[in-house]
Amino acid sequence: MKTAKTTDFPDLVEITADGTSIGKTVLAGRVAHFFGEVGRKVIRVQIESSRRRGAVETGDIFINLEEFASAGIRNGGLVGVLSPLFEAVIEARKSGAGVVVDWAGGTAGHRLEVLAATNFDATLAAMQVKALSIVMTTNSSEHMAQAEKHLHSLQKVAPHLPRALALSGRAGPFDWPVNSEQRGHFDRLLAAAGEVPVLRIPLAAGRALQVCADAGLDPTQALLMNFDELAARLGVHIFQATACATEIAVWWQRVGGELRKLLGAARVPVTA
């Protein structure tokens, strides 16, 4: 049965960064739930090492990063390894579901190779699939330089693929003195982004997201638990559990607001 599209949100959202511990998976989870909030089913695709594999819900797809090593002897190479992703896009086009792709850190080069091999932006356009590629970074100079390079590469490899820049507050705010090294990296990053929309992902106070992740909980699971149950799962007293749930709820609402703003901004054409 085909799900009615009740939003202008893209049919395919991919979240990528060349670094790790940036917050891609948490954001991917929030984007997936946003689809649900606007009445669309969603397929989540997680591309990750089996050592870092998160919980995969029924109907979602996990692609083992270790399989990239055998791409040279696989039919279709990397495209063959990623066949479950492309099959999900084809199926979602028929059903009206959305697809959220969580790329593993350090796979930017592989991803660009796949985009070029599949003529990704033109192929999606021919399929009438709206897509959005979110490049994510923290405030570290290394991550910002990686994001800048990735944005430039995307412009060359898939010029018609809409893009957005996500600024993750996980490592702190994007605020430095003028003429500082980090400010220079940030200015160059914004110049590379140009007119693409910017998504600001706040830091959850008290390490709430990390505390839940350490306990094997995603934000949704934590929010649905009663405080006694959450306290037992986290190994803390009920007051800490309550504070943790409150901070996650605040983060959840703020990111939801950022995603709602992105809806209109994502329709801005990508400049050549």
Side-chain angles (χ1 to χ4, degrees), residues 1 11 21 46 51 64 71 122 133 136-137 191 194 205 217 241 244:
M1 181 177 178
D11 306 305
S21 299
Q46 184 182 20
R51 297 186 299 274
N64 193 334
S133 181
M136 198 169 186
T137 181
L217 294 173
C244 181

Side-chain angles (χ1 to χ4, degrees), residues 14-99:
E14 55 168 7
I15 301 168
T16 180
D18 219 14
T20 58
S21 299
I22 290 177
K24 296 185 304 297
T25 299
V26 176
L27 178 58
R30 184 64 184 95
V31 173
H33 280 279
F34 190 85
F35 271 106
E37 290 169 16
V38 296
R40 288 184 69 180
K41 293 182 179 179
V42 64
I43 301 170
R44 288 182 60 176
V45 180
Q46 184 182 20
I47 304 168
E48 186 56 271
S49 167
S50 58
R51 297 186 299 274
R52 295 170 57 92
R53 180 174 182 170
V56 180
E57 298 181 7
T58 302
D60 290 349
I61 295 168
F62 179 83
I63 299 176
N64 193 334
L65 187 60
E66 282 75 16
E67 293 188 19
F68 280 36
S70 64
I73 58 174
R74 295 279 294 269
N75 290 340
L78 279 175
V79 177
V81 172
L82 293 169
S83 283
L85 162 60
F86 298 118
E87 290 166 2
V89 174
I90 294 169
E91 178 58 33
R93 177 173 175 259
K94 298 175 183 176
S95 67
V99 179

